[in-house]
C-alpha cells in the first residue's frame, strides 16, 4: 500500500458531500490538503476540524472551477510548499434540474457543462503538466453511473458524466509512458446536497430521492477513492462503479415502503 503521508492532495468541491469526506480520509492518513470550493466559511470550518482532529496542514482556495482565469491564477500562485501536487481529486460537480431535453433550462445546462466538464478540464490542464515534469501524480475524477446509463430527463447531466468517462479514458491514454495514474470513481446514489442542488433548494423533493432505501454515504465513496490512490505504484485502477445494494441502475431502485 502506498502512503499518502505528506502528499499534497488537491480536492475540488471540498465544502460538501463526497469532497469533504475525501478531505477527511486523506487528512486521517497524514496528507496535506488543498481544499477548493466557492463557500469560504464551509472550507474554513472543515480546515479547523481537520486541524483539530489530525493536525492537518490545509491550504484553502475560494475558487469557482468554471472561471478558467481564476483556476490558472490559483494554481500558478500556490506557495512553493504547496505547488507540487501529488493527487488531484476532480470532484466539484452538480446536476441542475430534471427536465425533458426539449423543455430544459439553458441556465441549468450552462452550469452543469461549465462545472462538471469545463471545470474538470481546467484543473486537469493546469495541474497535470507539473505532474508530468515531476514524474509523479494521480488524477481521480468523480464521474457517475449517469455516465454509463442515460436516464429519462437526465440528458445533459448524463452527457457531462459520459464526457468525464471519455476524458478519464483519454487522459490515461495520453499519459501512457509516464508513471501518472488516472482513475474514475463512478457512484450511484449518494446522500449529499446533490439532490438539494438539483432541485434548486426544494428540500421535500430532494429527500424523496432517498426515501425507502439505504443510499451510499460520502464516506463510502471516499473509501474507494482512498483505496485507488493507495494501491502500489504499478497498479492503475481505471474505473470503479459503486451503487447502493438497493440500486441496480439509475432507474432500477428498490424502495421499502412503510405503512
Ligand atoms: N450524490 C450523488 O448521488 C452522486 C452520484 C454520482 C456522482 N456524484 C458526483 O459527485 C460529485 C460531488 O457531489 P456531491 O454528491 O458530494 O454533491 P454536493 O454535496 O452538492 O457537493 C458538491 C460540491 O461541488 C462544489 N461545487 C459546485 N459548483 C462548483 C463550482 N462552480 N466551483 C467550485 N466548486 C463547486 C460545491 O461547493 P460550493 O457550492 O461551495 O462551490 C460542493 O462542495 C459531483 O461531481 C457529482 O456529480 C454524486
Amino acid at each position: 500500500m502506498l502512503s499518502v503521508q505528506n502528499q499534497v492532495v488537491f480536492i475540488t468541491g471540498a465544502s460538501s458531500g463526497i469532497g469533504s469526506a475525501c478531505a477527511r480520509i486523506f487528512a486521517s492518513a497524514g496528507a496535506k490538503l488543498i481544499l477548493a470550493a466557492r463557500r469560504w466559511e464551509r472550507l474554513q470550518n472543515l480546515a479547523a476540524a481537520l486541524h483539530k482532529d489530525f493536525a492537518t496542514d490545509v491550504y484553502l482556495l475560494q475558487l469557482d472551477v468554471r472561471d478558467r482565469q481564476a483556476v490558472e491564477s490559483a494554481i500558478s500562485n500556490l506557495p512553493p510548499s504547496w505547488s507540487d501536487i501529488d493527487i488531484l481529486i476532480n470532484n466539484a460537480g452538480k446536476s441542475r434540474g430534471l427536465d425533458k431535453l426539449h423543455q430544459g433550462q439553458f441556465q441549468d445546462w450552462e452550469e452543469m457543462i461549465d462545472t462538471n466538464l469545463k471545470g474538470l478540464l481546467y484543473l486537469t490542464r493546469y495541474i497535470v503538466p507539473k505532474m508530468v515534469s515531476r514524474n509523479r501524480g494521480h488524477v481521480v475524477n468523480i464521474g457517475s453511473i449517469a455516465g454509463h446509463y442515460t436516464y429519462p430527463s437526465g440528458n445533459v447531466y448524463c452527457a457531462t458524466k459520459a464526457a468525464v468517462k471519455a476524458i478519464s479514458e483519454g487522459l490515461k491514454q495520453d499519459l501512457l509512458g509516464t508513471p501518472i495514474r488516472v482513475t474514475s470513481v463512478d457512484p450511484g446514489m449518494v446522500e449529499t446536497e446533490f439532490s438539494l442542488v438539483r432541485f434548486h433548494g426544494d428540500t421535500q423533493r430532494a429527500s424523496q430521492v432517498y426515501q425507502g432505501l439505504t443510499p451510499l454515504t460520502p464516506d463510502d465513496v471516499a473509501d474507494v477513492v482512498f483505496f485507488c490512490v493507495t494501491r502500489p505504484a504499478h497498479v492503475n485502477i481505471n474505473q470503479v462503479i459503486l451503487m447502493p445494494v438497493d440500486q441496480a441502475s439509475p432507474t432500477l431502485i428498490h424502495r421499502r415502503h412503510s405503512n
Side-chain angles (χ1 to χ4, degrees), residues 15 36-41 43 61-66 94 111:
S15 60
R38 294 165 304 171
R39 284 171 293 176
W40 184 244
E41 208 180 318
L43 290 179
L61 282 175
Q62 185 168 32
L63 182 66
D64 186 331
V65 298
R66 296 172 296 180
K94 63 179 50 165
E111 278 189 50

Side-chain angles (χ1 to χ4, degrees), residues 12-20 36-40 42-43 63-67 90-95 111 114-116 142-146 157 160-161 185-197 209-210 218 221:
T12 65
S15 60
S16 172
I18 295 168
S20 293
R38 294 165 304 171
R39 284 171 293 176
W40 184 244
R42 291 270 198 120
L43 290 179
L63 182 66
D64 186 331
V65 298
R66 296 172 296 180
D67 183 341
N90 273 317
N91 162 75
K94 63 179 50 165
S95 61
E111 278 189 50
D114 290 351
T115 311
N116 303 0
I142 305 299
S144 169
I145 61 167
Y157 178 68
T160 64
K161 291 300 185 178
V185 173
D186 300 348
M189 291 171 111
V190 192
E191 192 163 8
T192 63
E193 292 174 11
F194 179 85
S195 295
L196 198 62
V197 172
V209 172
Y210 309 107
V221 182

Side-chain angles (χ1 to χ4, degrees), residues 24 45-56:
R24 204 167 173 80
N45 292 341
L46 177 60
L50 296 177
H51 186 74
K52 179 170 165 280
D53 294 347
F54 311 110
T56 309

